[in-house]
Amino acid sequence: LHAVTDALLGAAALGDIGELFPDTDQANRGRDSAEMLRTAADRVAGAGYAIANLDCTIFAQRPKLGDYKRAIRQRIAEILASTPEQIGLKAKTGEGVGPVGSEQVMMAHCIVLLQKIDQRQS
């Protein structure tokens, strides 16, 4: 959810998750990631954008995520008040190579396409 939050903020040129929720602020310690994503989505909407689609790739040797992809897409769509059809999700392993493959790290990359909303039609 942090990678999705960063993708949304970046696509709308609204900074990044660390600027919106600095880790130096005690109020952010243990903050719900879904709440952070909702706040970012609200800011993006306030800037006049709607989410067209989102594409996420999770890099993890394990756990295997194939059985969970549908639920993850559904949850992200729920948080963003969009549809699962707008959410792409891929899970990749490191094939035993590099930091992902040797289970040292997990990573997520997300890209979002935003559409400018014509405020005059509201």
Side-chain angles (χ1 to χ4, degrees):
L1 296 183
H2 288 217
V4 176
T5 301
D6 258 342
L8 283 173
L9 292 170
L14 295 173
D16 63 39
I17 194 170
E19 293 173 42
L20 191 55
F21 302 102
D23 62 5
T24 55
D25 184 344
Q26 287 291 10
N28 294 322
R29 184 173 300 284
R31 185 182 292 267
D32 182 355
S33 297
E35 175 192 331
M36 295 165 73
L37 178 54
R38 276 190 210 98
T39 299
D42 289 346
R43 291 208 175 192
V44 168
Y49 294 98
I51 298 169
N53 60 41
L54 173 70
D55 182 40
C56 298
T57 306
I58 300 171
F59 300 90
Q61 190 64 31
R62 45 183 199 104
K64 301 294 185 195
L65 298 175
D67 292 341
Y68 303 98
K69 288 177 12 180
R70 181 181 301 210
I72 294 168
R73 288 176 60 223
Q74 180 64 42
R75 179 66 177 136
I76 292 170
E78 177 184 302
I79 294 166
L80 294 176
S82 63
T83 66
E85 293 77 24
Q86 291 172 276
I87 312 298
L89 180 67
K90 300 178 294 291
K92 305 290 182 187
T93 69
E95 301 290 330
V97 176
V100 172
S102 63
E103 300 179 19
Q104 295 174 344
V105 299
M106 294 173 71
M107 300 185 312
H109 294 177
C110 298
I111 299 170
V112 64
L113 175 62
L114 298 178
Q115 293 177 306
K116 190 71 171 166
I117 301 168
D118 186 352
Q119 301 292 333
R120 296 170 295 179
Q121 293 179 357
S122 299

